[in-house]
Structure formats: C-alpha cells, structure tokens
C-alpha cells in the first residue's frame, strides 16, 4: 500500500478500505487539471499542521462534490520538505487522527495539487508569478508560525529579492498588481489569510507586507500606487482567524500501526534544518478554524469541511475565550504543577484527581464568569472537549515541560486578563482561589525543586534568571523565614498584567506560597487542600 499507487490507479481500493483507510471520493486528475488552469488558493508553509488541517478540510470539501479546486502549497523556508515529503508521494499524504478513545482515523489527503519552492533561485518562482497573475486566485494563506512574519532592516534593504517570507509574498503581490490580465494595474483583488496560532494574526501578515511595500516605495523600486492597492480593502484584505489543533511530530506508535497495515510510506523525514515530518501526519481529533469572512474575490468553501466563517469581532471573542479561559490557562496551570510533581506527560497528569479537578475548577468556576460567549462556539462545550478528549488523549505526547516554556510571557494574558475583568465588572474577588494558587505555584516552580526535594530544570524563559533571583532568598522547608521578597514578584505588572497587591490578591497569594514552601510533599498537600475546598 503506497500513496503513489493512488494517483497511478494501480491499487486495490477494497484492500485500503478494508483496513480503515478513507480514500478520496473525487476525481484527483480532474481537480489537479482545473486547479492548474484556474487556481484559487495558494498556501505558504508545507508543514504538518497544514496537511493535517487546512488541506484536510479542503479534502473533505472536495469529497462533497460541491467544489472542484485543490490547493497549491508553497514553502518559503525549508525546501527539503518539498523534495522529501511532497514530490516522492505525488503531493499525497495520510492524515491520522488520534482519538482519545484509543482509535485512529486514517484519511488520504489528495487536495494538494502542486508543491512549490517559493524562492527566486528555483524555476518554481515562475510558476508562482503565473499563479499570482491569474484573476482566478482568491486567497493566499499561511501556517509559517508567528516567527515567519518577521522582517529586519537588512532584508528590507535587499530590494525586490528578499529572503524572508513576507518579502517574497510582497514581491508576488506586486506581480498581481502588475498583472496584464487585469483591466489595469491594481485591478485584481485577493485575500491574504493567516492561519497561524497567534492573536490577531491577520495584522501580523499586514504589518510585514506593508513594511516591505513602504520601503520599496521609499527606495523608488515600486510606485505609490502599489502601496495604495495594498491599502484598498476592496482589493486586498488581511482577515483574522483562530486555529486550534495539536499536531505533534510523527509518532513511533503511529508508524508501527501503519506498518502493521502494510502501509509502506511510513518513514521518518528530518531535514538539515531539523524539520520533522513524514508521508503521514498524526494529530488530535478535535480541531477549530474560525475565520473572518472578509474576502474580495470569493473564497474556497472551507465551511464544507468544518471551518466557521464569521465576523472579526467574533473571531476575537473566540480567540479571547481560548487564550484566557478555555485552554491556555488550563495548560499553564497544569504545566507549573506538573513539573513540580514530576510528570512528563500532559495525558498522565489528567489521570491525577487533584490536577484534573484543579484545571476543571479553574475553567468552569473561576474563569467562566467573565467569558464572553462568542456565539459560534460554546465555551462550556469547548472546555468539555479540552478536559475530556484533548488533554487525556494518550496519543498526544505533550509534556508539561514544553508547555511551561516562556511562562512569564504567558501569565499576563492567561490569568491577568481574567483578574482585570473581575475588577472591571465589580465581581466578588473571593471567587478566585485556584487562579491565585496557580500564581503562587509559580514562585515555588522558580526554585527548580520538585515536591520530592530533587532538582529539575525550569523550562526556557527570557525572564527566568531575573525572576529566580527574586525568590532566591527563600528556602524550601525553612521555618519563620522572611517572605517580603514576594512583593517584588507579585507587584510586577510586566509578569502578571497588573499589580496583584493593588488587585487585592497579593496577601492571599503570599499565604499560599508559604504553604508550598513548607517542605517535601507541601506542593501536593497544598494543591489537594485548595482543590478539595473549592
């Protein structure tokens, strides 16, 4: 059983289906031909999340028979991905959904019709120019991580042949501006859609594109009319979106299961740039893609595959719900305590009654009172999926140590915003018990000593050394010590989003810290005490 057999037609459909593989229901050759002639969607970033989610929901849309165009993927960073993960398999891949009940779904993804290297040194660049000049193009999108939207003075100064992704995209947008197939320069509309997991992601794309365009205008490389074209929201838009789906590296358990089926394309791929991929992609079953419906030239019907189109305001509400209540705060709380309690898997933490009740009560009892229901996704159902299906999933090899990275950068949003809303709405602050316990746990976590007294290495964080110095005077197990140094921690607005003493929580948190520092076993004892009392 090989992916390349599917495009050649040299395969036994009954054999695949008998082993639980869902094959494409559409004419792959016809879709590829139509897409080549009249492309509608180019996606930048050929990584695992793209194949497991955006490409997969387009595949579902094609399976309905109500759409006839695939997606063209363009890689801006690691060109080996095209050579090793796309070309040898005729752009086909296998999406493996890892369900929390221990079952898996195996679906062949055939929606990708071309895979191109987005760089001037390759002939693929000519094809990209051709695509961008085609009036049929509706959307370009991105899963290149937040870092992919960056730029610097050196790249801005490179003129029309930049190295960074946003510069290349701007150069291609200039080709669309110049397209002779339009009635005049700047006539062809397009939507520039981020699908990366970062807040207000459309603004990040826009900032990058505008930086290059403005520099090129200043340097006389392009006319002012090009910048006007990019700013004309009847022509070019940069909508926001919220995406949520855990897609880890290809897993050995999945590789073994596929091999047992007789599926031969199960090799691991590691590029020189340390991209980890494979012909198959494994991901969790739960997924969300909420998109601002602001398109100037039509759009692929991703809603046929489960995407939700809505307003910018609603996208923002969904993002806020996820980041400040229904997922991210729960992750951070369990990562802080998971590291101290010697856990290495999030799924294992979910079997711990104290930790499970801890995050469940944070979400439902303390954060939920200030959540704004976005309407398109129910906050209670979202948390329910997190607690009952996502975090306990044994196939998801996520670790509290990974989640605990950059905690100082996360606390203001994940907890500070909730506390601010309590204050702004005049709500009873005594309702906050486990969120303060999370913040108290951070002062204990910074010591780098587990509950059993053995050391651990706190996860990388740009403020780690500075904050560890604040709690350095404190010793675990020492009686009658001076905890006044904590005021230098919990008054910091840059770490918590507000002065916790001014918020009326500082003394409460201090008291919890004292309990957590009492000695071996104090972390478990304190956690159990407050969770049970709550």
């Amino acid at each position: 059983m090989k992916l390349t057999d599917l495009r050649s037609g040299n395969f036994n459909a009954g054999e695949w289906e008998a082993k639980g593989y869902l094959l494409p229901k559409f004419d792959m050759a016809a879709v590829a031909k139509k897409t080549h002639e009249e492309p509608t969607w180019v996606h930048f970033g050929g990584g695992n999340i793209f194949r497991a989610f955006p490409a997969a929901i387009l595949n579902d849309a094609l399976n309905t028979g109500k759409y006839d165009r695939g997606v063209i993927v363009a890689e801006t960073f690691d060109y080996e991905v095209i050579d090793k993960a796309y070309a040898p398999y005729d752009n086909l891949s296998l999406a493996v959904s890892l369900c929390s009940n221990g079952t898996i779904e195996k679906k062949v993804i055939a929606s990708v019709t071309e895979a191109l290297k987005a760089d001037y040194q390759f002939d693929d660049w000519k094809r990209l120019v051709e695509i961008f000049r085609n009036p049929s193009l509706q959307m370009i999108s991105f899963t290149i991580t937040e870092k992919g939207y960056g730029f610097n003075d050196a790249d801005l100064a490179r003129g029309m042949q930049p190295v960074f992704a946003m510069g290349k995209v701007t150069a291609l947008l200039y080709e669309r501006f110049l397209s002779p197939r339009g009635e005049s320069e700047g006539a062809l509309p397009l939507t520039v859609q981020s699908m990366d997991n970062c807040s207000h992601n459309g603004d990040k794309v826009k900032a990058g594109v505008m930086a290059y365009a403005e520099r090129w205008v200043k340097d006389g490389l392009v006319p002012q009319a090009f910048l006007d074209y990019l700013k004309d929201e009847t022509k070019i838009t940069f909508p926001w979106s919220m995406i949520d789906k855990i897609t880890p590296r290809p897993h050995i358990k999945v590789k073994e299961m596929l091999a047992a089926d007789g599926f031969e394309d199960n090799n691991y791929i590691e590029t020189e740039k340390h991209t980890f991929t494979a012909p198959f992609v494994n991901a969790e079953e739960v997924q969300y893609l909420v998109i601002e419906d602001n398109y100037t030239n039509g759009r692929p019907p991703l809603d046929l595959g489960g995407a939700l189109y809505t307003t910018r305001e609603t996208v923002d509400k969904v993002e806020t719900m996820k980041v400040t209540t229904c997922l991210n705060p729960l992750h951070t709380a369990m990562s802080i305590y998971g590291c101290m309690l010697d856990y290495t898997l999030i799924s294992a933490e979910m079997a711990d009654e104290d930790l499970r009740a801890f995050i469940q009560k944070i979400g439902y009892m303390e954060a939920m009172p200030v959540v704004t229901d976005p309407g398109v996704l129910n906050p209670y159902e979202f948390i329910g999926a997190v607690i009952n299906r996502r975090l306990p999933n044994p196939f998801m090899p996520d670790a509290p140590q990974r989640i605990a990275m950059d905690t100082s950068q996360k606390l203001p949003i994940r907890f500070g915003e909730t506390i601010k809303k309590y204050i702004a709405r005049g709500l009873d602050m005594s309702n906050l018990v486990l969120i303060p316990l999370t913040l108290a746990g951070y002062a204990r976590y910074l010591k780098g000593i587990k509950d059993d007294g053995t050391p651990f290495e706190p996860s990388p964080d740009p403020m780690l050394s500075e904050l560890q110095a604040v709690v350095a005077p404190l010793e675990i197990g020492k009686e009658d010590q001076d905890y006044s140094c904590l005021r230098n921690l919990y008054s910091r607005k840059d770490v918590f989003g507000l002065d916790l003493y001014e918020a009326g929580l500082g003394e409460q948190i201090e008291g919890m810290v004292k309990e957590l520092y009492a000695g071996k076993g104090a972390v478990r004892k304190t956690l159990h005490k407050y969770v049970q009392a709550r």
Side-chain angles (χ1 to χ4, degrees), residues 12-40:
N12 183 334
E15 179 185 8
W16 287 74
E17 292 168 357
K19 294 181 179 180
Y21 289 74
L22 303 176
L23 299 178
K25 298 177 181 178
F26 54 91
D27 186 327
M28 291 186 286
V31 167
K33 183 176 185 297
K34 184 73 170 177
T35 306
H36 190 274
E37 295 170 351
E38 298 179 8
T40 55

Side-chain angles (χ1 to χ4, degrees), residues 330-349 355 396-408 410 414 442 445 448-452 454-462 464:
L330 313 187
H331 249 161
T332 292
M334 68 191 307
S335 71
I336 290 172
Y337 278 85
C339 290
M340 294 190 290
L341 293 173
D342 203 23
Y343 280 101
T344 56
L345 285 174
I346 292 292
S347 57
E349 284 193 68
L355 288 169
M396 291 289 105
D398 215 348
Q401 290 75 20
R402 186 190 74 83
I403 302 299
M405 291 175 63
D406 303 328
T407 294
S408 70
K410 299 170 181 176
R414 299 186 179 190
Y442 189 52
Y445 166 90
I449 299 175
K450 290 182 279 192
D451 200 25
D452 64 6
T454 60
F456 73 91
E457 185 70 30
S459 301
D461 187 307
L464 181 61

Side-chain angles (χ1 to χ4, degrees), residues 161-182:
Q161 291 195 344
V163 173
F164 292 176
M166 288 298 96
K168 296 174 184 178
V169 168
T170 308
L172 289 168
L173 288 171
Y174 186 57
E175 295 289 348
R176 189 162 183 81
F177 168 78
L178 294 175
S179 174
R181 298 177 68 173

Side-chain angles (χ1 to χ4, degrees), residues 478-497:
K478 182 180 180 181
E479 297 183 4
D480 301 324
Q481 60 182 319
D482 182 4
Y483 284 89
S484 61
C485 64
L486 292 176
R487 185 168 286 273
N488 296 326
L489 177 64
Y490 291 113
S491 62
R492 292 188 61 157
K493 296 180 182 180
D494 59 331
V495 178
F496 301 100

Side-chain angles (χ1 to χ4, degrees), residues 203-214:
D203 289 350
K204 291 177 170 55
V205 183
K206 185 175 183 178
V209 167
M210 293 302 178
Y212 283 92
E214 288 169 359

